[in-house]
Amino acid sequence: MAIRSHIFLFFLNTNILITDVQDFINFNLKNDISKLIFKGSPFDKISVQELANQIQAKQKSEKKLPTWFTTKNIYYPAKISIEQTSSEITAAYKSKLVKGKKIADISGGFGVDSYYFSKVFEKVFHCEINSELSAIVKHNAGQLNIDNIETNNINGIQFVEQYTGKFDCIYIDPSRRDIQQNKVFFLRDCAPNVPDSLDILFAKSKQILIKTSPLLDLSSAIKELSNVKVIHIVAVNNEVKELLFLLEHNFNGNTTIKTVNILKSEIQKFNFNLSEDKITPEYSLPLNYLYEPNVAILKSGAFDRIATQFNIKKLHNHTHLYTSDELVEFPGRSFKIEKTIQYNKKIIQREVQEKKANITVRNFGKSVDQIRKETKIKNGGNTYIFATKLLNESKVLIISSKIK
C-alpha cells in the first residue's frame, strides 16, 4: 500500500459527543428547529447551528439509516450528505452484487455503502476528499464496531493510481452536482469523471460498480461507458432510488438489465437481455385482470418484453397497462376488473356508484385532478379507476379492485 492518508478527529467538534449534548439532541428530535435556533445554544463550545444540523441530520436518518440512528455517539455530517447517501436497503442490495477480498469505495461520502461492503469484503478502502466527512466516517466506524474500513482523505482517482496493489472491485458514487451545485445528468459532468477515468480504474480492478441517479438515461450511459455487463434498476416501495452499472474488464457480451422493486412483503424482480430482438406483443381490450408494472420495469423500457414474458396483452401501444383472462403472478400491481366504461359524463353518472376511488391516468390526455373535477369522485376507498386509452383509441375508465 503506497498511500495512507492521515485524518484527525480535531476536524470535528468532539464536544458534540458529550453525554449531555447527545441527550439534548435526542430530546429535540421531535421539536421545532426554528424555535431552538431562536433560543440559541445552551452549550458554550457548540453553536446553535451545529446543534441544529446534528438534530436535522439525525431526523433524516431515522428511517433511511436505522443502524446509525440507533447507535450511540454517531457524529452526523451536513444534512445534505444524509440526503445524498445510499439508504441501508439499497446499500445492502448492492453489497451482494460483488465479492472478493479488497474493494475501493473511491467517492465514499458518509460511508453507508462502505459499511455494507465491509460485511462481505476483508478490507474496504474508503476515499473521501472532504476532510471533515472523512473524519466523521472514521469516528462512526468505531462506534459501529467496524475495524476493516480504512479511511483515506484523498481524491479517489488519485488513490487508485498510487495504490501499488489491485482491488477485486472499485465502487464509485460520483457527485451529480457541478461547482455551482447545479445538478448534472451525464456521467462526464459528474465528479469524478468516470468515462474518462476507465483506463485508470481497469488497470487496478477487473470489476467496477457505478451508482448513478435514477434520472440518468440508460442508453446515454451505456454510450458513455464501456464493458457494461449488468445494469441494476433498484426501486424501494415502488420508487426508483438508484441505477447500478456493473462493468467488467474486456466484457463485450450482451448487457443484462435487472429490475428490482424492494417491498416490505416481497421483492419483485424482472430481468432481460438488452440486445434481444424487438418483440411484438399481443393487444386486447380489457379482459378479467389488469396489471400495472412497477416503476423499475417502467424505467427499463421493457414495455413489450413484460407482456410476452408473462403471456399477457397490452391495452394500447402507448398505454403501459396489461390484461389477461387468467390471473398471473406479476411484478407490479394486479387488479380484478369490475367494469369498463366509456369516458362520458352520462355513462359515468349511471355506471359509477363509488363516491371515492383511487384514480390513475395512463395515456389519457387529462390529469387526475381534471377527472376528479369532472366526475365528482373523491380520493380514497377500495376502488381503483384507471383512466386510459384502448387499442381502438377509445378513452375509458377501467373500474377495478386491487388484488395486490
Side-chain angles (χ1 to χ4, degrees), residues 51 57 66 70 88 93 122 136 139 147 153-154 201 217 229 250 252 293 303 334 347 364:
L51 285 173
T70 56
E88 287 197 54
Y93 175 83
E122 291 181 11
I136 287 172
H139 164 77
D147 60 6
N153 177 205
I154 189 174
L201 300 173
D217 180 73
K229 186 175 184 179
N250 292 329
N252 59 4
F303 308 124
S334 303
I347 295 175
F364 193 70

PDB file of all heavy atoms in Angstrom, residues 51 57 66 70 88 93 122 136 139 147 153-154 201 217 229 250 252 293 303 334 347 364:
ATOM      1  N   LEU A  51     -25.763  22.341  16.554  1.00  0.00           N
ATOM      2  CA  LEU A  51     -26.808  21.538  17.193  1.00  0.00           C
ATOM      3  C   LEU A  51     -27.961  21.272  16.218  1.00  0.00           C
ATOM      4  O   LEU A  51     -28.447  20.140  16.112  1.00  0.00           O
ATOM      5  CB  LEU A  51     -27.350  22.254  18.432  1.00  0.00           C
ATOM      6  CG  LEU A  51     -26.462  22.261  19.672  1.00  0.00           C
ATOM      7  CD1 LEU A  51     -27.066  23.156  20.749  1.00  0.00           C
ATOM      8  CD2 LEU A  51     -26.270  20.848  20.216  1.00  0.00           C
ATOM      9  N   ALA A  57     -29.982  16.193  10.719  1.00  0.00           N
ATOM     10  CA  ALA A  57     -29.363  15.045  10.044  1.00  0.00           C
ATOM     11  C   ALA A  57     -29.799  13.736  10.694  1.00  0.00           C
ATOM     12  O   ALA A  57     -30.062  12.747   9.999  1.00  0.00           O
ATOM     13  CB  ALA A  57     -27.843  15.171  10.079  1.00  0.00           C
ATOM     14  N   PRO A  66     -31.400   3.360   9.900  1.00  0.00           N
ATOM     15  CA  PRO A  66     -31.764   2.996  11.284  1.00  0.00           C
ATOM     16  C   PRO A  66     -30.589   2.508  12.120  1.00  0.00           C
ATOM     17  O   PRO A  66     -30.583   2.697  13.337  1.00  0.00           O
ATOM     18  CB  PRO A  66     -32.827   1.906  11.106  1.00  0.00           C
ATOM     19  CG  PRO A  66     -32.634   1.396   9.710  1.00  0.00           C
ATOM     20  CD  PRO A  66     -32.156   2.566   8.914  1.00  0.00           C
ATOM     21  N   THR A  70     -29.840   4.404  15.715  1.00  0.00           N
ATOM     22  CA  THR A  70     -29.951   3.717  16.999  1.00  0.00           C
ATOM     23  C   THR A  70     -28.600   3.470  17.675  1.00  0.00           C
ATOM     24  O   THR A  70     -28.553   2.922  18.771  1.00  0.00           O
ATOM     25  CB  THR A  70     -30.677   2.365  16.824  1.00  0.00           C
ATOM     26  OG1 THR A  70     -29.985   1.572  15.851  1.00  0.00           O
ATOM     27  CG2 THR A  70     -32.116   2.576  16.371  1.00  0.00           C
ATOM     28  N   GLU A  88     -29.878   2.262   3.772  1.00  0.00           N
ATOM     29  CA  GLU A  88     -29.372   0.942   4.175  1.00  0.00           C
ATOM     30  C   GLU A  88     -29.937  -0.161   3.289  1.00  0.00           C
ATOM     31  O   GLU A  88     -29.259  -1.146   2.994  1.00  0.00           O
ATOM     32  CB  GLU A  88     -29.711   0.675   5.644  1.00  0.00           C
ATOM     33  CG  GLU A  88     -28.874   1.498   6.611  1.00  0.00           C
ATOM     34  CD  GLU A  88     -28.912   0.946   8.014  1.00  0.00           C
ATOM     35  OE1 GLU A  88     -28.610  -0.257   8.190  1.00  0.00           O
ATOM     36  OE2 GLU A  88     -29.256   1.705   8.947  1.00  0.00           O
ATOM     37  N   TYR A  93     -28.388  -4.175  -0.720  1.00  0.00           N
ATOM     38  CA  TYR A  93     -28.613  -4.830  -2.017  1.00  0.00           C
ATOM     39  C   TYR A  93     -27.328  -4.837  -2.843  1.00  0.00           C
ATOM     40  O   TYR A  93     -26.912  -5.871  -3.358  1.00  0.00           O
ATOM     41  CB  TYR A  93     -29.725  -4.113  -2.777  1.00  0.00           C
ATOM     42  CG  TYR A  93     -29.936  -4.653  -4.180  1.00  0.00           C
ATOM     43  CD1 TYR A  93     -30.717  -5.790  -4.385  1.00  0.00           C
ATOM     44  CD2 TYR A  93     -29.330  -4.061  -5.293  1.00  0.00           C
ATOM     45  CE1 TYR A  93     -30.902  -6.312  -5.666  1.00  0.00           C
ATOM     46  CE2 TYR A  93     -29.500  -4.578  -6.564  1.00  0.00           C
ATOM     47  CZ  TYR A  93     -30.290  -5.694  -6.744  1.00  0.00           C
ATOM     48  OH  TYR A  93     -30.457  -6.217  -8.010  1.00  0.00           O
ATOM     49  N   GLU A 122     -12.946  -8.417   2.964  1.00  0.00           N
ATOM     50  CA  GLU A 122     -11.996  -8.404   4.082  1.00  0.00           C
ATOM     51  C   GLU A 122     -11.498  -6.994   4.379  1.00  0.00           C
ATOM     52  O   GLU A 122     -11.256  -6.640   5.539  1.00  0.00           O
ATOM     53  CB  GLU A 122     -10.799  -9.314   3.768  1.00  0.00           C
ATOM     54  CG  GLU A 122     -11.155 -10.791   3.739  1.00  0.00           C
ATOM     55  CD  GLU A 122      -9.943 -11.655   3.454  1.00  0.00           C
ATOM     56  OE1 GLU A 122      -8.805 -11.128   3.480  1.00  0.00           O
ATOM     57  OE2 GLU A 122     -10.120 -12.867   3.193  1.00  0.00           O
ATOM     58  N   ILE A 136     -15.433  12.049  10.002  1.00  0.00           N
ATOM     59  CA  ILE A 136     -16.704  11.570  10.550  1.00  0.00           C
ATOM     60  C   ILE A 136     -16.865  10.071  10.310  1.00  0.00           C
ATOM     61  O   ILE A 136     -17.265   9.324  11.204  1.00  0.00           O
ATOM     62  CB  ILE A 136     -17.879  12.355   9.923  1.00  0.00           C
ATOM     63  CG1 ILE A 136     -17.929  13.777  10.496  1.00  0.00           C
ATOM     64  CG2 ILE A 136     -19.212  11.639  10.167  1.00  0.00           C
ATOM     65  CD1 ILE A 136     -18.920  14.687   9.802  1.00  0.00           C
ATOM     66  N   HIS A 139     -14.623   8.131  12.690  1.00  0.00           N
ATOM     67  CA  HIS A 139     -15.201   8.085  14.042  1.00  0.00           C
ATOM     68  C   HIS A 139     -16.378   7.117  14.103  1.00  0.00           C
ATOM     69  O   HIS A 139     -16.454   6.263  15.003  1.00  0.00           O
ATOM     70  CB  HIS A 139     -15.662   9.479  14.466  1.00  0.00           C
ATOM     71  CG  HIS A 139     -16.582   9.459  15.644  1.00  0.00           C
ATOM     72  ND1 HIS A 139     -16.137   9.277  16.941  1.00  0.00           N
ATOM     73  CD2 HIS A 139     -17.949   9.541  15.718  1.00  0.00           C
ATOM     74  CE1 HIS A 139     -17.172   9.262  17.771  1.00  0.00           C
ATOM     75  NE2 HIS A 139     -18.280   9.426  17.051  1.00  0.00           N
ATOM     76  N   ASP A 147     -13.934  -2.662  11.975  1.00  0.00           N
ATOM     77  CA  ASP A 147     -12.483  -2.450  12.012  1.00  0.00           C
ATOM     78  C   ASP A 147     -11.782  -2.768  10.692  1.00  0.00           C
ATOM     79  O   ASP A 147     -10.560  -2.766  10.617  1.00  0.00           O
ATOM     80  CB  ASP A 147     -11.862  -3.275  13.142  1.00  0.00           C
ATOM     81  CG  ASP A 147     -12.097  -4.775  12.977  1.00  0.00           C
ATOM     82  OD1 ASP A 147     -12.646  -5.186  11.933  1.00  0.00           O
ATOM     83  OD2 ASP A 147     -11.726  -5.527  13.903  1.00  0.00           O
ATOM     84  N   ASN A 153      -8.368  10.359   3.326  1.00  0.00           N
ATOM     85  CA  ASN A 153      -8.775  11.711   2.952  1.00  0.00           C
ATOM     86  C   ASN A 153      -7.998  12.123   1.702  1.00  0.00           C
ATOM     87  O   ASN A 153      -6.975  12.796   1.770  1.00  0.00           O
ATOM     88  CB  ASN A 153      -8.506  12.663   4.126  1.00  0.00           C
ATOM     89  CG  ASN A 153      -8.830  14.099   3.818  1.00  0.00           C
ATOM     90  OD1 ASN A 153      -8.277  14.998   4.426  1.00  0.00           O
ATOM     91  ND2 ASN A 153      -9.733  14.337   2.879  1.00  0.00           N
ATOM     92  N   ILE A 154      -8.541  11.695   0.548  1.00  0.00           N
ATOM     93  CA  ILE A 154      -7.807  11.874  -0.707  1.00  0.00           C
ATOM     94  C   ILE A 154      -8.776  11.750  -1.869  1.00  0.00           C
ATOM     95  O   ILE A 154      -9.844  11.124  -1.750  1.00  0.00           O
ATOM     96  CB  ILE A 154      -6.688  10.804  -0.830  1.00  0.00           C
ATOM     97  CG1 ILE A 154      -5.772  11.083  -2.004  1.00  0.00           C
ATOM     98  CG2 ILE A 154      -7.276   9.409  -0.919  1.00  0.00           C
ATOM     99  CD1 ILE A 154      -4.560  10.152  -2.083  1.00  0.00           C
ATOM    100  N   LEU A 201      -8.980   3.026 -13.850  1.00  0.00           N
ATOM    101  CA  LEU A 201      -9.700   2.134 -12.941  1.00  0.00           C
ATOM    102  C   LEU A 201      -9.523   0.668 -13.331  1.00  0.00           C
ATOM    103  O   LEU A 201      -9.281  -0.182 -12.474  1.00  0.00           O
ATOM    104  CB  LEU A 201     -11.180   2.515 -12.921  1.00  0.00           C
ATOM    105  CG  LEU A 201     -11.491   3.944 -12.451  1.00  0.00           C
ATOM    106  CD1 LEU A 201     -12.973   4.268 -12.647  1.00  0.00           C
ATOM    107  CD2 LEU A 201     -11.101   4.133 -10.990  1.00  0.00           C
ATOM    108  N   ASP A 217     -30.362   8.593 -18.171  1.00  0.00           N
ATOM    109  CA  ASP A 217     -30.876   7.823 -19.302  1.00  0.00           C
ATOM    110  C   ASP A 217     -29.989   6.604 -19.545  1.00  0.00           C
ATOM    111  O   ASP A 217     -28.765   6.729 -19.672  1.00  0.00           O
ATOM    112  CB  ASP A 217     -30.905   8.713 -20.548  1.00  0.00           C
ATOM    113  CG  ASP A 217     -31.419   7.975 -21.765  1.00  0.00           C
ATOM    114  OD1 ASP A 217     -32.635   7.706 -21.831  1.00  0.00           O
ATOM    115  OD2 ASP A 217     -30.597   7.650 -22.642  1.00  0.00           O
ATOM    116  N   LYS A 229     -21.678  -4.951 -18.185  1.00  0.00           N
ATOM    117  CA  LYS A 229     -22.170  -6.329 -18.147  1.00  0.00           C
ATOM    118  C   LYS A 229     -23.614  -6.394 -17.649  1.00  0.00           C
ATOM    119  O   LYS A 229     -24.456  -7.094 -18.225  1.00  0.00           O
ATOM    120  CB  LYS A 229     -21.270  -7.170 -17.231  1.00  0.00           C
ATOM    121  CG  LYS A 229     -21.622  -8.651 -17.232  1.00  0.00           C
ATOM    122  CD  LYS A 229     -20.618  -9.453 -16.396  1.00  0.00           C
ATOM    123  CE  LYS A 229     -20.913 -10.942 -16.474  1.00  0.00           C
ATOM    124  NZ  LYS A 229     -19.928 -11.733 -15.685  1.00  0.00           N
ATOM    125  N   ASN A 250     -12.823  -5.987 -20.319  1.00  0.00           N
ATOM    126  CA  ASN A 250     -12.840  -6.731 -21.585  1.00  0.00           C
ATOM    127  C   ASN A 250     -14.176  -7.423 -21.875  1.00  0.00           C
ATOM    128  O   ASN A 250     -14.259  -8.234 -22.813  1.00  0.00           O
ATOM    129  CB  ASN A 250     -11.717  -7.774 -21.639  1.00  0.00           C
ATOM    130  CG  ASN A 250     -10.351  -7.116 -21.701  1.00  0.00           C
ATOM    131  OD1 ASN A 250     -10.203  -6.025 -22.252  1.00  0.00           O
ATOM    132  ND2 ASN A 250      -9.343  -7.765 -21.118  1.00  0.00           N
ATOM    133  N   ASN A 252     -17.490  -7.939 -23.615  1.00  0.00           N
ATOM    134  CA  ASN A 252     -18.077  -7.428 -24.851  1.00  0.00           C
ATOM    135  C   ASN A 252     -19.333  -8.195 -25.234  1.00  0.00           C
ATOM    136  O   ASN A 252     -19.722  -8.253 -26.399  1.00  0.00           O
ATOM    137  CB  ASN A 252     -17.055  -7.468 -25.993  1.00  0.00           C
ATOM    138  CG  ASN A 252     -16.539  -8.885 -26.252  1.00  0.00           C
ATOM    139  OD1 ASN A 252     -16.998  -9.850 -25.626  1.00  0.00           O
ATOM    140  ND2 ASN A 252     -15.595  -9.016 -27.168  1.00  0.00           N
ATOM    141  N   PRO A 293     -47.131  -2.405 -14.261  1.00  0.00           N
ATOM    142  CA  PRO A 293     -45.742  -2.735 -13.895  1.00  0.00           C
ATOM    143  C   PRO A 293     -45.206  -1.798 -12.815  1.00  0.00           C
ATOM    144  O   PRO A 293     -45.618  -0.639 -12.713  1.00  0.00           O
ATOM    145  CB  PRO A 293     -44.972  -2.534 -15.207  1.00  0.00           C
ATOM    146  CG  PRO A 293     -46.005  -2.526 -16.283  1.00  0.00           C
ATOM    147  CD  PRO A 293     -47.249  -1.995 -15.662  1.00  0.00           C
ATOM    148  N   PHE A 303     -41.445  -2.453 -22.088  1.00  0.00           N
ATOM    149  CA  PHE A 303     -42.903  -2.423 -22.170  1.00  0.00           C
ATOM    150  C   PHE A 303     -43.481  -3.594 -22.961  1.00  0.00           C
ATOM    151  O   PHE A 303     -44.574  -4.087 -22.646  1.00  0.00           O
ATOM    152  CB  PHE A 303     -43.355  -1.109 -22.801  1.00  0.00           C
ATOM    153  CG  PHE A 303     -42.767   0.109 -22.154  1.00  0.00           C
ATOM    154  CD1 PHE A 303     -42.064   1.030 -22.906  1.00  0.00           C
ATOM    155  CD2 PHE A 303     -42.898   0.329 -20.792  1.00  0.00           C
ATOM    156  CE1 PHE A 303     -41.511   2.162 -22.318  1.00  0.00           C
ATOM    157  CE2 PHE A 303     -42.345   1.448 -20.192  1.00  0.00           C
ATOM    158  CZ  PHE A 303     -41.656   2.363 -20.952  1.00  0.00           C
ATOM    159  N   SER A 334     -51.679  -5.739  -9.296  1.00  0.00           N
ATOM    160  CA  SER A 334     -52.649  -6.559 -10.023  1.00  0.00           C
ATOM    161  C   SER A 334     -54.062  -6.206  -9.554  1.00  0.00           C
ATOM    162  O   SER A 334     -54.281  -5.968  -8.363  1.00  0.00           O
ATOM    163  CB  SER A 334     -52.386  -8.050  -9.783  1.00  0.00           C
ATOM    164  OG  SER A 334     -51.066  -8.396 -10.154  1.00  0.00           O
ATOM    165  N   ILE A 347     -72.710   8.393 -18.950  1.00  0.00           N
ATOM    166  CA  ILE A 347     -72.410   6.985 -18.647  1.00  0.00           C
ATOM    167  C   ILE A 347     -71.761   6.876 -17.275  1.00  0.00           C
ATOM    168  O   ILE A 347     -72.084   5.975 -16.494  1.00  0.00           O
ATOM    169  CB  ILE A 347     -71.494   6.395 -19.735  1.00  0.00           C
ATOM    170  CG1 ILE A 347     -72.221   6.366 -21.082  1.00  0.00           C
ATOM    171  CG2 ILE A 347     -71.032   4.991 -19.343  1.00  0.00           C
ATOM    172  CD1 ILE A 347     -71.351   5.902 -22.240  1.00  0.00           C
ATOM    173  N   PHE A 364     -53.979   9.249 -21.414  1.00  0.00           N
ATOM    174  CA  PHE A 364     -55.393   9.635 -21.404  1.00  0.00           C
ATOM    175  C   PHE A 364     -55.639  11.075 -21.859  1.00  0.00           C
ATOM    176  O   PHE A 364     -56.689  11.387 -22.403  1.00  0.00           O
ATOM    177  CB  PHE A 364     -55.972   9.444 -19.993  1.00  0.00           C
ATOM    178  CG  PHE A 364     -57.461   9.505 -19.919  1.00  0.00           C
ATOM    179  CD1 PHE A 364     -58.244   8.492 -20.463  1.00  0.00           C
ATOM    180  CD2 PHE A 364     -58.100  10.585 -19.323  1.00  0.00           C
ATOM    181  CE1 PHE A 364     -59.630   8.545 -20.406  1.00  0.00           C
ATOM    182  CE2 PHE A 364     -59.488  10.648 -19.246  1.00  0.00           C
ATOM    183  CZ  PHE A 364     -60.248   9.627 -19.794  1.00  0.00           C
TER     184      PHE A 364
END
